[in-house]
Amino acid sequence: MTSETARSAASLQPGPAVRLNTPLPAHGRRRRGEPLLTHHVRATMARGFRPPPSWSSPVRHLLPDGPSGGTPPLHDARAAADALRAGSPVLALIAPTYVSRGTLAEQTERLDALLDRVAELTEDRPDAPAVLFVGMQWSSAQEETESVRRLRALLLRAHARLPHLPVCGLSLPGPGKPRTLNAAIEVAELLGCAGVGWVDDDVVLEPGCLSRLARDFLAAGCRGAVGATKIPHTKAFATSRLLARAKAIAAPATNYPHGCCILVATDVLSGGLPGRYVSDDGYVCFRLLDPGLPDPLAWLRLVSDARCHYHVAGPAGETRRRIRRILLNHLVDLADWPLPVVRHYFRHVLFAGLWPLTGFDASRGRRLGVQKALVKWVYFAWFAGVGAELYLRGLAGRPLRAVEWAAYSAVHPLTPADQEY
């Protein structure tokens, strides 16, 4: 072994374990110094949401077809891991989508764009080989057949372009991105991958994006989470322009990695995302946020030179449902996690600048500080209304069973052809 190879191998050794937070139980939780009123409100809100305990779904694992034709699906994660183990992958990458997202041609275009970024990663970091999972969710028997057909075509495309990259298709019922993530995480854990990352099908990554994420993640000892810096684009909807303006003023909870393009240490996701958490990046954030550190977001890093592009909002009705879904995710997190973590997230991430409830933000001038506070108060009023619903449901014993899925049906996903860097 040369000294260069030895240094590369040593650089991939995980650093000391990061302290991970654990959600509190919805029932029978102890106060442990928490003020009585805060404890009552949070525990009651937690009881106001009672979804299925797990995102687990039956999954068919597919490999690229061989020369003789269709390779039969594998029906469990261990068989898939055994088939993929030869590449000794360090990083597992996931591309989740669903049949009704678009045509096969459109999905192929998006996969090609992702493969360009994966090719850069494998060239830049040959010491950290990757495995790619392509998830295709379906909602009917007809779509199930179509999901397998499309996966076979996409896997062949990936194998033809990057023959040394292990790839695996995941056909499973939806909706819910966590279902696809959990299916891939299960295989990644069996493979011993140090990190798991995923890229949504409605974002476009700039050249070098995945390579730069991997560089930061590996330099940190394969710990915590890193995410791309998001670049917003507006659509031909008044809602899109209004929301983009409000976000520019309020600087919402965007200072930690978001699930549209993220790379996470596998131990953070061990066992998969629990069924209570629709928001993948929210779960990662609350697992890793540490108020005891000088920088509580030290293990949640945005990489400034790894950039991805996305569209802001869509039609008013769908945007309203999407915001309600986001608020429910915030409220469930604020009800479930240890109080010190919740306090920091509320005061310094979600509602930073909500003067006088939290500190006044004069970092960009007093005028923008006042505008930020006003926007935050509008958002807080909506947040409080949804929170009151969750509290009353918990009090009445009539919990919400699911958070409504909220896709933008009228918004065509951003594609490489739309984007000029």
Side-chain angles (χ1 to χ4, degrees), residues 11-75:
S11 68
L12 295 182
Q13 294 299 316
V18 174
R19 188 181 71 84
L20 300 175
N21 302 309
T22 303
L24 303 172
H27 295 270
R29 64 171 64 177
R30 299 180 181 179
R31 278 210 305 151
R32 297 190 178 182
E34 184 174 351
L36 180 60
L37 180 60
T38 305
H39 172 81
H40 166 72
V41 171
R42 293 211 306 140
T44 305
M45 285 172 51
R47 294 196 300 271
F49 181 54
R50 194 181 302 167
S54 172
W55 286 103
S56 295
S57 297
V59 182
R60 284 200 282 180
H61 304 78
L62 291 94
L63 302 178
D65 290 340
S68 59
T71 301
L74 304 171
H75 292 277

Side-chain angles (χ1 to χ4, degrees), residues 162-174:
L162 299 175
H164 299 296
L165 176 73
V167 289
C168 178
L170 306 169
S171 173
L172 69 162

Side-chain angles (χ1 to χ4, degrees), residues 42-50 276 389-395 398-401:
R42 293 211 306 140
T44 305
M45 285 172 51
R47 294 196 300 271
F49 181 54
R50 194 181 302 167
R276 286 182 66 81
E389 176 195 340
L390 207 58
Y391 173 81
L392 292 173
R393 283 181 173 275
L395 206 61
R398 301 189 64 179
L400 193 66
R401 299 292 181 180

Side-chain angles (χ1 to χ4, degrees), residues 131-146:
V131 56
L132 176 65
F133 295 91
V134 181
M136 186 73 69
Q137 291 188 354
W138 47 267
S139 59
S140 66
Q142 293 78 9
E143 283 196 354
E144 180 179 8
T145 301
E146 178 65 7

Side-chain angles (χ1 to χ4, degrees), residues 242-243 246-247 249-250 323-324 327 350-357 369-387:
L242 178 64
L243 196 58
K247 286 185 174 185
I249 294 171
I323 293 175
R324 171 180 163 79
L327 290 173
L350 184 59
F351 287 114
L354 183 70
W355 185 85
L357 190 59
V370 171
Q371 291 177 341
K372 179 175 182 175
L374 291 173
V375 172
K376 290 278 186 174
W377 273 108
V378 171
Y379 191 58
F380 180 78
W382 199 342
F383 168 90
V386 177

Side-chain angles (χ1 to χ4, degrees), residues 94-234:
I94 313 168
T97 190
Y98 49 97
V99 172
S100 59
R101 185 58 154 174
T103 65
L104 175 58
E106 291 168 336
Q107 290 175 333
T108 301
E109 180 185 11
R110 290 196 285 272
L111 178 66
D112 278 343
L114 178 60
L115 291 174
D116 287 340
R117 307 288 79 83
V118 176
E120 294 167 347
L121 169 61
T122 57
E123 181 177 353
D124 292 346
R125 295 306 304 246
D127 57 331
V131 56
L132 176 65
F133 295 91
V134 181
M136 186 73 69
Q137 291 188 354
W138 47 267
S139 59
S140 66
Q142 293 78 9
E143 283 196 354
E144 180 179 8
T145 301
E146 178 65 7
S147 76
V148 173
R149 185 186 77 85
R150 291 193 184 188
L151 280 174
R152 292 196 185 282
L154 294 173
L155 294 178
L156 280 175
R157 180 78 170 187
H159 184 65
R161 289 202 52 196
L162 299 175
H164 299 296
L165 176 73
V167 289
C168 178
L170 306 169
S171 173
L172 69 162
K177 185 172 73 169
R179 299 183 193 277
T180 298
L181 299 184
N182 282 1
I185 290 166
E186 184 179 8
V187 181
E189 285 198 276
L190 291 169
L191 288 169
C193 292
V196 179
W198 53 94
V199 178
D200 284 358
D201 62 358
D202 59 354
V203 300
V204 174
L205 309 185
E206 287 194 6
C209 180
L210 289 183
S211 296
R212 290 161 187 157
L213 287 181
R215 173 200 63 197
D216 191 286
F217 179 73
L218 296 168
C222 302
R223 296 178 294 168
V226 296
T229 300
K230 297 167 62 178
I231 310 300
H233 298 261
T234 57

